[in-house]
Amino acid sequence: MRNLISQRVNAIPPSGIRKFFDIAAANPKVISLAIGEPDFVTPRPILQAGVDSLLRGETAYTSNAGTIQLRRAISAHLSKRYGVSYDPETEIFVTVGVSEAFADLFIAICDPGDEVVIPAPCFVAYSASVALSGGTPVTVDLTAATGFQASGDVIAPYITPKTKAILIGSPSNPTGAVYTRDNLISIGEVAKKHDLIVVSDEVYDRLVYGVPHVCVPSLPSMRERTVLLGGFSKDYAMTGWRIGYMCGPEALVAAAKKVHQYIIMSAPTMSQAAAVAALEQGEAHVQHMVGEYDRRRKLLVRELNTMGLTCFEPRGAFYCFPDVSASGMNGDVFANTLLAEEEVALVPGSAFGFSGANHVRIAYAQSYEKIETAIERMYRFMKKHG
Ligand SMILES: Cc1ncc(COP(=O)(O)O)c(C=O)c1O
């Protein structure tokens, strides 16, 4: 049979994360710090709200935009936390995770060849979702020397007449960097100068350690040129419920919602009920999980630096991104050899962009005890190879 697969899909590499995840899942002796997913079960009141919704028989579609209860709860939450207000009727819609929101938005704004500027290392779906929509991802390679943060000056040279958007993820997967207010303001200035939008992925907004999260649309005159993507997967340990949202200026939200209507219809109904409970009753649980992640973060950063794997201090999300050059290996060889010799799974930094090649991503969304055991194994590994 002739090859039916489109060039667009053929050109996209498979996710570099899944490979390590699959190997780890097949061997129970492997400690996997490869996957960016909370080890917590969804907190009880949130679970219960989802179950109650099902038992009430709420098994039909909701409005395309999501239930008005959830949109109102999102609006109230953003207004209270960040002082930014969105009309629940026209400026918010509920998606199947932030993952769906990327697809909706880039299909809505990209004509073939339109460019989206993306600082990297970054989440694997950023470039892929732009490319799948027919746009062209333009990568800006960052290093640990700048704390893995872009600024307006760093981004400006990459803007062309074809640029439509700048995509920022803060707190960052994979580096754990949390953008400073000044850097975000300077990126906003570039967006204003060239009449671009900023797409701000804030899915880890609550997972910050000792630094504030800056919500991009809350910055002066940024609300009108920002599309804010938020979600429940990470902050509330709800990855499997598949709920996210998009907020922004009405015209952009309406265009993305049109895509959502045709490819999704509506996000899962019971999950929307659970998400309302997350916003209304989840705060103490978020605080608890943040405290636990912080304990693990401190342990990992200290031990990695002691064993010679230089680690920039991550201030958000649940990832460390050490430089593994002291082992004499690049990130790919390091991750493969560590998995083979010590049964610890990490992800090579190259999965997130060219400038991650000498790094690995370590997710600390696993129990403290498992992380301790992984550290022991890594010490042994570094004694042999370092
Ligand atoms: C930076 C970032 N954005 C978005 C997502 C997707 O999240 P969701 O579960 O809401 O689709 C992830 C998941 O790993 C992520 O790391």
Side-chain angles (χ1 to χ4, degrees):
M1 196 180 183
R2 72 200 160 101
N3 185 356
L4 295 171
I5 310 304
S6 71
Q7 288 176 18
R8 218 172 43 233
V9 168
N10 262 333
I12 292 175
S15 162
I17 300 179
R18 276 282 147 190
K19 185 184 136 199
F20 280 82
F21 177 70
D22 292 344
I23 296 171
N27 178 355
K29 284 198 269 170
V30 170
I31 296 184
S32 177
L33 305 179
I35 202 87
E37 165 153 71
D39 59 319
F40 297 100
V41 172
T42 304
R44 187 77 203 191
I46 306 175
L47 267 180
Q48 192 62 52
V51 171
D52 290 346
S53 163
L54 283 171
L55 292 176
R56 281 194 303 272
E58 293 171 1
T59 54
Y61 299 127
T62 68
S63 139
N64 288 136
T67 65
I68 190 65
Q69 290 86 346
L70 179 53
R71 284 180 279 143
R72 283 192 186 126
I74 292 166
S75 175
H77 172 77
L78 292 172
S79 163
K80 186 168 155 211
R81 266 212 93 68
Y82 302 119
V84 56
S85 70
Y86 288 102
D87 180 350
E89 301 285 347
T90 55
E91 295 180 317
I92 300 178
F93 79 99
V94 178
T95 57
V96 178
V98 173
S99 305
E100 185 219 327
F102 295 136
D104 295 341
L105 182 66
F106 294 125
I107 291 172
I109 67 169
C110 289
D111 284 315
D114 283 348
E115 294 174 2
V116 176
V117 173
I118 310 174
C122 63
F123 179 44
V124 291
Y126 288 176
S127 292
S129 56
V130 171
L132 285 171
S133 74
T136 303
V138 175
T139 302
V140 178
D141 289 310
L142 306 173
T143 63
T146 56
F148 292 111
Q149 297 204 23
S151 61
D153 286 347
V154 170
I155 282 184
Y158 294 83
I159 307 297
T160 75
K162 290 183 172 173
T163 310
K164 281 211 163 148
I166 302 166
L167 170 52
I168 302 290
S170 173
S172 158
N173 171 9
T175 67
V178 177
Y179 272 66
T180 62
R181 193 180 169 83
D182 284 351
N183 279 343
L184 291 171
I185 288 175
S186 69
I187 291 168
E189 292 305 324
V190 173
K192 283 177 216 164
K193 181 169 171 201
H194 297 276
D195 196 15
L196 312 173
I197 58 164
V198 172
V199 180
S200 187
D201 173 5
E202 303 188 15
V203 75
Y204 294 96
D205 69 329
R206 304 302 314 283
L207 307 186
V208 286
Y209 314 102
V211 291
H213 168 74
V214 179
C215 178
V216 173
S218 74
L219 294 172
S221 64
M222 283 308 289
R223 188 188 175 287
E224 71 240 39
R225 57 176 68 252
T226 302
V227 174
L228 170 64
L229 308 181
F232 294 82
S233 291
K234 317 290 178 170
D235 297 353
Y236 299 95
M238 290 179 69
T239 46
W241 297 79
R242 309 308 302 126
I243 295 286
Y245 54 86
M246 182 186 304
C247 304
E250 184 174 346
L252 286 167
V253 165
K257 195 162 58 182
K258 201 198 282 184
V259 179
H260 165 84
Q261 273 168 7
Y262 285 111
I263 62 174
I264 295 291
M265 304 265 278
S266 61
T269 303
M270 77 299 280
S271 304
Q272 295 190 51
V276 172
L279 294 175
E280 291 178 351
Q281 302 167 54
E283 187 53 29
H285 298 276
V286 171
Q287 295 299 334
H288 167 73
M289 291 188 279
V290 169
E292 183 53 30
Y293 292 137
D294 196 19
R295 221 163 67 85
R296 303 170 186 179
R297 179 187 76 100
K298 286 178 177 146
L299 168 73
L300 249 181
V301 172
R302 187 184 65 229
E303 298 301 332
L304 288 170
N305 281 307
T306 308
M307 70 178 83
L309 301 177
T310 319
C311 186
F312 143 92
E313 186 177 358
R315 294 305 202 125
F318 36 55
Y319 307 104
C320 290
F321 202 62
D323 185 326
V324 296
S325 307
S327 65
M329 303 174 204
N330 67 22
D332 285 81
V333 178
F334 185 94
N336 280 296
T337 316
L338 183 70
L339 182 58
E341 293 184 3
E342 293 291 347
E343 299 182 312
V344 174
L346 316 169
V347 183
S350 61
F352 308 96
F354 173 76
S355 56
N358 287 329
H359 294 253
V360 292
R361 187 192 76 174
I362 307 179
Y364 48 90
Q366 282 293 351
S367 72
Y368 198 85
E369 294 68 33
K370 274 195 188 163
I371 294 171
E372 280 180 321
T373 310
I375 288 170
E376 275 168 32
R377 295 183 188 185
M378 289 176 74
Y379 265 112
R380 198 161 56 208
F381 184 80
M382 284 304 286
K383 227 171 167 180
K384 192 166 157 198
H385 296 284

